[in-house]
Amino acid sequence: NKNNEEKEISKKEKQIKKEKEAEELLEKAKKMLKIASDIKSKKRFFSPFIYASDTVEKIMTDVILALLPSILVSIFLCGIKSLLLILISVISTVLTEKIITAVFFKKEKEKDSIKDLSAVVTGIILSLTLPSFVPYYFAIFGGACAVIFGKILYGGLGKNLYNPAVIGKFFVLIFFEKIFLKFKLSNINFQILNLKIFRNILDSPFTKFLDSLILSQSNSIGTFSGLALILGGIYLTMKKRISLFT
């Protein structure tokens, strides 16, 4: 009888815990919807863009090329896990945009918005902000939220207040915070991150900083190499996609 009572108490405690977690999740969802509603009701501010005669597709292609060094470094360090995370994130953003625009947008140009590759760029950037050890559904969920709440909600490309990829990462952290903290780093050769190139010439804080620019430990797959990001920035500057003075 005592064992049965203990089992019943344990079941009730588990049930209460599940109900509490469900209530917390519902509250988070309500907060997100309120934020979305507030954003939609407020005046939209447009970013200070650099105007060019090129198509959006060409500009986005250059952004993808600029991200390529960081992508290659992440695949080199994390292997197939990193590649799959990027691909799944891109598939999520592209499919979400295709479905949403097909259902809610009437103009043919708006329905074909995936052709401008902006959804691909969003998917890549989102994946590069995630650690290699997260489950793939993080990328699926984050990609969908990035497009819906970070782009479509504002009216589409160029009208968003914030980077859609950042919005996607925000939703992942809000909804999967507890799960996120359970995972540990894996499949990364940290030995190679302790690179010594400049420090072999002279061991100093400055040479240590230079070595860390080439490779360093990171919480996301896209920031293992500061040098890779700098190279991408230089490429975009040379192509006049970004400016150092605006």
Side-chain angles (χ1 to χ4, degrees):
N1 288 335
K2 192 176 181 180
N3 288 335
N4 289 334
E5 285 178 8
E6 287 176 354
K7 285 180 181 178
E8 283 295 323
I9 292 168
S10 180
K11 282 182 182 178
K12 286 180 181 179
E13 286 176 350
K14 285 180 181 178
Q15 186 65 32
I16 291 167
K17 190 179 178 181
K18 284 182 180 178
E19 288 175 0
K20 192 176 179 182
E21 286 177 353
E23 285 175 6
E24 286 177 0
L25 194 62
L26 185 63
E27 282 300 313
K28 285 179 181 178
K30 285 179 180 178
K31 285 179 182 178
M32 292 301 104
L33 288 171
K34 188 178 184 302
I35 291 168
S37 177
D38 290 343
I39 289 169
K40 194 173 181 181
S41 63
K42 289 177 182 177
K43 185 180 177 181
R44 293 167 184 164
F45 296 92
F46 296 85
S47 301
F49 299 112
I50 299 171
Y51 291 92
S53 58
D54 290 332
T55 62
V56 174
E57 186 181 347
K58 286 182 180 178
I59 295 168
M60 292 300 162
T61 300
D62 280 334
V63 174
I64 293 167
L65 290 173
L67 292 169
L68 198 56
S70 296
I71 292 169
L72 292 174
V73 170
S74 72
I75 293 170
F76 172 70
L77 291 172
C78 307
I80 191 70
K81 175 75 176 179
S82 179
L83 179 61
L84 286 173
L85 196 64
I86 294 166
L87 290 175
I88 290 168
S89 181
V90 169
I91 291 168
S92 175
T93 53
V94 171
L95 279 180
T96 302
E97 182 155 332
K98 183 66 179 174
I99 293 165
I100 295 294
T101 53
V103 174
F104 296 103
F105 288 76
K106 294 180 180 179
K107 293 179 181 178
E108 202 63 37
K109 188 178 177 181
E110 291 173 335
K111 288 184 177 183
D112 291 333
S113 63
I114 60 167
K115 290 180 181 179
D116 63 24
L117 300 178
S118 60
V120 175
V121 170
T122 298
I124 293 172
I125 295 174
L126 171 65
S127 65
L128 294 178
T129 68
L130 297 172
S132 65
F133 54 85
V134 297
Y136 294 125
Y137 65 81
F138 277 32
I140 296 169
F141 177 77
C145 289
V147 171
I148 296 167
F149 297 102
K151 184 179 177 182
I152 301 296
L153 187 69
Y154 293 100
L157 182 66
K159 298 176 183 178
N160 45 294
L161 288 173
Y162 311 103
N163 189 305
V166 174
I167 299 295
K169 176 70 178 291
F170 172 73
F171 271 83
V172 168
L173 290 174
I174 289 293
F175 280 89
F176 302 115
E177 182 186 3
K178 290 179 181 178
I179 301 171
F180 200 91
L181 295 172
K182 285 181 182 179
F183 291 92
K184 296 180 180 179
L185 291 170
S186 60
N187 300 325
I188 298 174
N189 185 359
F190 284 106
Q191 196 64 38
I192 200 170
L193 296 178
N194 191 26
L195 199 66
K196 290 184 180 180
I197 295 175
F198 294 101
R199 277 181 290 174
N200 283 333
I201 302 167
L202 176 67
D203 194 1
S204 70
F206 181 66
T207 54
K208 185 179 180 181
F209 166 72
L210 290 176
D211 282 336
S212 69
L213 273 180
I214 299 171
L215 279 179
S216 62
Q217 290 191 26
S218 173
N219 288 324
S220 57
I221 64 172
T223 53
F224 283 115
S225 175
L227 180 62
L229 294 169
I230 291 168
L231 289 173
I234 291 170
Y235 173 78
L236 290 175
T237 305
M238 289 172 64
K239 296 288 287 186
K240 297 182 179 179
R241 302 308 185 197
I242 60 173
S243 172
L244 297 173
F245 306 105
T246 55

